[in-house]
């Protein structure tokens, strides 16, 4: 677990590098290199012009063997293997808000909640941020209960909210970490987190 924060920092940096997605469209014997949301004109063998456009849906679905959720396509999603049976999926906005979900395949993540919260907030608290805390509970759409803690930090008009919650059963489970602040588009950030909580399913 010692690599959690360093990997989180790395993923935050990577999430701010917006690479242009490119796709190959194969039409018969012809192959076109295209990007999303841009119109192309394809000239057929008989001389006809055919407009082509690849449109990226506004809401994307992520799914693997353990979780499923939706997120806005304007945000970057990245996945990584943390080792020891833990995989992480991260979705962050340019201002550092968003979430990551860690999937535990051979242990329950409940014991990690307090450690994760302490690591995420200790630097800010040491710098003088005031902190308030409350219990966090959320029943997911599949009926499973996320249980954890929500800590709000304030300092000279700055506000940061950290939520760490988990669900575990039969020696496996998920740890969900959500981060929000008032330094960017607060509505957009909250909508991102709300969509996760509305659509997250644990298999």
């Amino acid at each position: 677990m010692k690599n959690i924060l360093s990997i989180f920092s790395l993923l935050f940096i990577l999430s701010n590098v917006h690479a242009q997605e490119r796709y190959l469209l194969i039409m018969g014997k012809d192959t076109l290199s295209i990007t999303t949301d841009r119109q192309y004109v394809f000239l057929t063998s008989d001389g006809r012009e055919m407009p082509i456009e690849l449109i990226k849906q506004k809401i994307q679905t992520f799914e693997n063997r353990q979780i499923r959720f939706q997120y806005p396509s304007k945000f970057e999603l990245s996945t990584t293997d943390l080792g020891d049976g833990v995989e992480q999926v991260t979705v962050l906005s340019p201002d550092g808000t968003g979430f990551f979900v860690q999937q535990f395949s051979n242990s329950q993540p409940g014991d990690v909640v307090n450690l994760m919260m302490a690591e995420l907030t200790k630097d800010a608290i040491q710098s003088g941020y005031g902190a308030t805390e409350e219990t966090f509970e959320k029943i997911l759409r599949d009926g499973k209960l996320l249980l954890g803690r929500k800590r709000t930090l304030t300092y000279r008009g700055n506000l940061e909210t950290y939520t760490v919650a988990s669900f575990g059963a039969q020696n496996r489970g998920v740890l969900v970490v959500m981060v929000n602040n008032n330094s960017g588009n607060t509505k957009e950030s909250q909508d991102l987190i709300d969509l996760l909580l509305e659509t997250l399913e644990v298999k």
Side-chain angles (χ1 to χ4, degrees), residues 9-178:
S9 300
L10 174 60
L11 292 175
F12 170 68
I13 294 170
L14 292 177
S15 71
N16 289 297
V17 180
H18 299 285
Q20 181 69 49
E21 294 179 323
R22 299 197 66 84
Y23 300 87
L24 291 179
L25 176 65
I26 300 174
M27 301 180 63
K29 296 181 180 180
D30 297 308
T31 301
L32 303 175
S33 177
I34 63 176
T35 62
T36 58
D37 303 315
R38 178 178 172 185
Q39 193 170 83
Y40 297 82
V41 177
F42 174 71
L43 186 63
T44 64
S45 58
D46 59 2
R48 291 180 297 113
E49 291 185 349
M50 179 185 298
I52 298 171
E53 187 173 0
L54 181 64
I55 299 174
K56 190 173 185 178
Q57 294 185 346
K58 292 183 178 180
I59 301 298
Q60 298 290 313
T61 298
F62 174 85
E63 182 172 10
N64 62 17
R65 67 181 183 278
Q66 201 164 349
I67 60 173
R68 182 179 189 273
F69 65 85
Q70 294 181 335
Y71 67 99
S73 61
K74 67 172 65 177
F75 296 100
E76 298 289 329
L77 180 146
S78 59
T79 63
T80 190
D81 186 345
L82 300 182
D84 297 325
V86 182
E87 297 180 12
Q88 179 169 295
V89 182
T90 304
V91 180
L92 290 175
S93 68
D95 59 18
T97 62
F99 62 85
F100 62 87
V101 181
Q102 293 183 349
Q103 304 149 76
F104 292 69
S105 61
N106 54 26
S107 62
Q108 290 197 26
D111 294 339
V112 184
V113 171
N114 291 339
L115 173 63
M116 179 65 76
M117 180 65 80
E119 289 296 321
L120 289 172
T121 60
K122 67 179 182 181
D123 289 342
I125 292 175
Q126 290 173 357
S127 299
Y129 276 72
T132 59
E133 189 167 313
E134 58 188 290
T135 300
F136 173 85
E137 295 183 10
K138 173 65 179 180
I139 298 176
L140 302 179
R141 64 189 303 174
D142 57 7
K144 297 181 176 68
L145 175 64
L146 274 183
L147 183 62
R149 304 164 61 188
K150 178 179 179 180
R151 181 175 290 180
T152 302
L153 307 180
T154 55
Y155 182 75
R156 296 182 178 178
N158 295 323
L159 183 146
E160 299 177 4
T161 302
Y162 297 85
T163 305
V164 183
S166 69
F167 168 80
Q170 299 177 346
N171 207 36
R172 62 196 300 265
V174 297
L175 180 77
V176 181
V177 177
M178 295 163 283

